Amino acid sequence: MDRAVMVGRGPIGAGVLVLSILIILTTRSGRAQKGDGCGPSVLGPSSGTLSSLGYPGTYPNHTVCEWEISVPQGSRIHFRFAELDIEDSNCQVNYLRLHNGVGPHRREIVKYCGLGLKVKEFIESTGNQVTVQFMSGTHRTGRGFYLSYSTTEHTDLITCLDKGTDFTEAEFSKYCPAGCLTSFEMISGTIPNGYRESSPLCMAAIHAGVVSNAVGGTISVVSSKGIPHYEGTLANNVTSTGGTLSNSLFTFKTSGCYGTLGLESSVVADAQLSASSVWEWHGVWATSGARLKKAGLPWASAQIDQHQWLQVDLKREMRITGITITGSTLREYQFYVSAYRVLYSNDGQNWHIYREVDSTQDKIFQGNTNYLHEVRNNFIPPVEARFLRINPTQWHQRIVLKLELLGCLSHTAIPRTFHPPHPPHPPRPPPPHVVTYTTPQYGRTTHPPDIRNTTMPPHSSKDVALAAVLVPVLVMALTALILTVVCTWHWRNRKTTSEGTYDLPHWDRTDWWKSMKQLLPSKMAEGEDLVRYSSSEVGRLRGRGTVPRLHAEPAGRTC
């Protein structure tokens, strides 16, 4: 039965005795891991990945490993298990232990022993230092363990084995630990087309250049409908395989600073390309041929040693986020560079070699494995420079390559300072040429370029602005005047009607009333049927020759 054994401080026994014999003690400034049972592990500045020796196969007998993990002061550490499979025939010598602290005063957090254990919850420390201890005795089964850790601020930490199919959201963010290149899973697809949903998220993120294996980081994932075919490529030391139709895929949101910088499109002129030497054999293998996808002879060096280089002058400081290279692409000349270093400069004189995070060793980038296919490597964080050099360190037959740079305009490339037009100042002499270089700060998040809309709207004339204000006012005033006149006339007409007397000689009763019915409100028109005439009185008036008067008896005040 699967089981976890002993949560708390364990007794001193045979396991501790064997451990003290097997571990070769080192100083505090020594290695962060020690022993003969350590599998592929990466201990980054704030996250990492640990595994037992031989994982995902069975771990060997009679081995021990101890990792001492430290994160910045004031932080705490939590752990997430991708797999935990330790034979439980003898848990005195087969176990995984986690301790708060390092050294003799450490205190046990938990001890695990069992096959196929499922540990869903985080295991959390009380401080910024943890010791992880793995021991194996005699056993027959068990794959060992594979875990990830980070500082507790990253509550969305996942393991290197979590796949796109493990999450159902259309969009989500997760934190990938450092070291997911130690995963033995396969990915299928590439950026920007997307990755098959069965691919491990963090390994795909390394392949895409979203996070680095040395540091890890946050990924923003977008899921969508699958495509008929997934391309296989080599990028950032991760090989993706081709794949067929799947139900869904995922890709990553990026800063957008991954555009080509002009070699393939010839925005970078031939004069901006230079090299240590040029080979002349059945033609000139000049620097002008060192453009990705350009037909014809590529660049090749005349000498074949590790002092050769190809240089690109971008004419201004740029943010360079990656590089893609290929070999000759010519079947009759199957030459290519299989490893190289990258150097960068702001003045073309003082050069800096690109290095991994917290490393004192020059970063060696993986190059091509054949003369035809492209290989991409990303710089995390980006390089801010005007000049960039590729220095081949390994090659097949000859030093030959084509390339393209990826990136965007640097934040500091065009400083904009706006001054008022007055008062004028006399021109000052230019300052002496001083080159100041700041090394890239690792662990930062790459932000998208600061692009602002600086287009100014055209100036509007005062007449147009005045008309825009006065026209609505005049229309409203005219409307109010008309309504006032109509209401006044209507009120006076109603008042006269209430008096009940009209001078008949001045009006044509029949024609005038029919025309007025169309203008009066409906209730006034209906009042026509409520007027009664006194015929006897009208007759007397006519007989006397006086002006006849009409008496009307209103049925009521209805208008």
Side-chain angles (χ1 to χ4, degrees):
M1 180 181 295
D2 298 341
R3 59 194 178 97
V5 178
M6 296 177 61
V7 177
R9 188 173 182 85
I12 298 174
V16 177
L17 178 62
V18 174
L19 178 63
S20 61
I21 295 174
L22 291 177
I23 291 180
I24 301 174
L25 298 178
T26 59
T27 64
R28 295 290 296 137
S29 60
R31 295 174 296 170
Q33 70 179 40
K34 48 198 173 184
D36 59 354
C38 306
S41 304
V42 173
L43 281 67
S46 61
S47 67
T49 304
L50 310 180
S51 65
S52 55
L53 184 63
Y55 183 86
T58 302
Y59 53 93
N61 292 325
H62 308 295
T63 60
V64 66
C65 184
E66 188 172 290
W67 297 264
E68 293 181 350
I69 301 171
S70 296
V71 297
Q73 194 77 8
S75 299
R76 291 178 293 123
I77 309 170
H78 60 188
F79 296 82
R80 169 153 282 178
F81 284 92
E83 186 166 6
L84 185 55
D85 191 54
I86 302 172
E87 184 176 304
D88 56 358
S89 59
N90 185 351
C91 289
Q92 289 296 319
V93 292
N94 288 285
Y95 59 81
L96 177 72
R97 275 179 173 165
L98 279 71
H99 303 263
N100 277 313
V102 297
H105 300 294
R106 65 193 184 191
R107 299 179 306 278
E108 185 178 286
I109 303 173
V110 67
K111 176 181 177 181
Y112 291 110
C113 173
L115 294 172
L117 296 177
K118 303 295 182 183
V119 182
K120 300 293 185 182
E121 68 278 4
F122 281 113
I123 307 302
E124 190 169 315
S125 71
T126 58
N128 70 315
Q129 292 184 316
V130 170
T131 301
V132 179
Q133 188 182 86
F134 175 68
M135 173 173 283
S136 69
T138 302
H139 66 94
R140 295 184 178 182
T141 59
R143 289 158 56 95
F145 75 95
Y146 191 36
L147 66 78
S148 301
Y149 74 88
S150 74
T151 53
T152 53
E153 63 186 286
H154 301 299
T155 57
D156 53 353
L157 171 69
I158 60 176
T159 73
C160 300
L161 300 186
D162 288 323
K163 302 178 180 180
T165 51
D166 296 327
F167 305 94
T168 58
E169 303 95 330
E171 295 188 20
F172 58 91
S173 294
K174 298 294 177 183
Y175 185 83
C176 287
C180 281
L181 276 184
T182 60
S183 171
F184 296 90
E185 299 289 327
M186 300 295 294
I187 67 169
S188 180
T190 189
I191 199 81
N193 298 330
Y195 297 88
R196 193 181 181 92
E197 79 273 22
S198 58
S199 302
L201 287 169
C202 294
M203 183 174 283
I206 295 172
H207 182 273
V210 177
V211 297
S212 72
N213 183 63
V215 178
T218 298
I219 58 174
S220 296
V221 184
V222 179
S223 300
S224 61
K225 185 178 179 180
I227 56 178
H229 176 72
Y230 294 90
E231 183 182 357
T233 60
L234 174 59
N236 299 308
N237 292 348
V238 180
T239 300
S240 71
T241 60
T244 56
L245 176 67
S246 67
N247 293 329
S248 63
L249 60 80
F250 64 85
T251 187
F252 302 97
K253 292 182 180 180
T254 68
S255 66
C257 189
Y258 293 92
T260 57
L261 294 184
L263 277 85
E264 181 183 343
S265 62
S266 297
V267 171
V268 174
D270 289 346
Q272 294 172 242
L273 302 174
S274 57
S276 54
S277 62
V278 172
W279 189 33
E280 296 184 14
W281 185 73
H282 294 286
V284 180
W285 300 57
T287 55
S288 58
R291 302 176 185 274
L292 197 68
K293 302 185 188 300
K294 182 179 180 180
L297 294 176
W299 168 74
S301 63
Q303 284 76 41
I304 306 176
D305 56 46
Q306 293 190 354
H307 301 292
Q308 304 306 302
W309 47 264
L310 175 67
Q311 176 177 307
V312 182
D313 178 5
L314 297 171
K315 291 298 183 182
R316 65 197 305 177
E317 185 177 306
M318 302 291 286
R319 170 167 289 194
I320 308 170
T321 58
I323 179 174
T324 302
I325 72 166
T326 188
S328 68
T329 67
L330 301 172
R331 187 172 183 178
E332 59 271 30
Y333 305 114
Q334 297 187 15
F335 310 140
Y336 56 89
V337 171
S338 56
Y340 60 94
R341 296 185 299 175
V342 169
L343 297 85
Y344 52 96
S345 171
N346 286 325
D347 60 359
Q349 301 297 323
N350 300 307
W351 293 90
H352 305 270
I353 303 175
Y354 192 89
R355 291 178 174 176
E356 284 274 37
V357 179
D358 295 334
S359 175
T360 58
Q361 301 297 318
D362 300 343
K363 166 72 174 178
I364 302 298
F365 292 90
Q366 180 176 355
N368 297 100
T369 57
N370 57 57
Y371 71 98
L372 184 60
H373 296 119
E374 299 175 5
V375 175
R376 170 175 49 82
N377 283 289
N378 291 93
F379 307 131
I380 303 175
V383 171
E384 304 274 352
R386 170 181 169 177
F387 298 90
L388 188 131
R389 277 185 181 179
I390 295 87
N391 170 219
T393 57
Q394 294 181 21
W395 51 86
H396 178 69
Q397 297 184 15
R398 292 202 70 92
I399 298 174
V400 173
L401 65 81
K402 300 179 182 180
L403 82 156
E404 179 62 274
L405 299 179
L406 308 175
C408 60
L409 187 65
S410 172
H411 287 295
T412 59
I414 308 178
R416 293 181 174 89
T417 304
F418 297 96
H419 300 282
H422 57 78
H425 297 282
R428 296 179 179 179
H433 181 67
V434 178
V435 178
T436 302
Y437 176 76
T438 303
T439 55
Q441 298 297 311
Y442 296 97
R444 291 182 179 176
T445 301
T446 303
H447 299 286
D450 187 14
I451 301 174
R452 294 183 176 88
N453 183 6
T454 56
T455 305
M456 298 299 294
H459 296 286
S460 301
S461 65
K462 293 182 178 180
D463 295 337
V464 174
L466 185 61
V469 174
L470 290 180
V471 168
V473 173
L474 291 175
V475 170
M476 293 177 63
L478 183 59
T479 303
L481 179 61
I482 293 173
L483 290 174
T484 302
V485 171
V486 171
C487 289
T488 302
W489 176 84
H490 181 67
W491 178 78
R492 294 184 63 184
N493 184 47
R494 186 173 64 177
K495 182 177 180 182
T496 304
T497 302
S498 65
E499 293 174 355
T501 305
Y502 296 88
D503 291 331
L504 294 178
H506 301 286
W507 311 97
D508 186 330
R509 232 177 23 238
T510 304
D511 297 334
W512 176 86
W513 184 249
K514 289 181 179 180
S515 62
M516 286 301 296
K517 284 173 62 179
Q518 300 176 359
L519 301 176
L520 294 175
S522 59
K523 291 186 178 180
M524 290 187 66
E526 292 170 358
E528 178 187 14
D529 297 333
L530 301 177
V531 179
R532 295 191 297 274
Y533 300 91
S534 177
S535 58
S536 59
E537 185 177 353
V538 172
R540 287 196 307 270
L541 291 173
R542 286 179 179 176
R544 285 188 281 178
T546 60
V547 178
R549 307 290 292 181
L550 174 65
H551 294 272
E553 297 179 8
R557 295 179 179 271
T558 59
C559 184

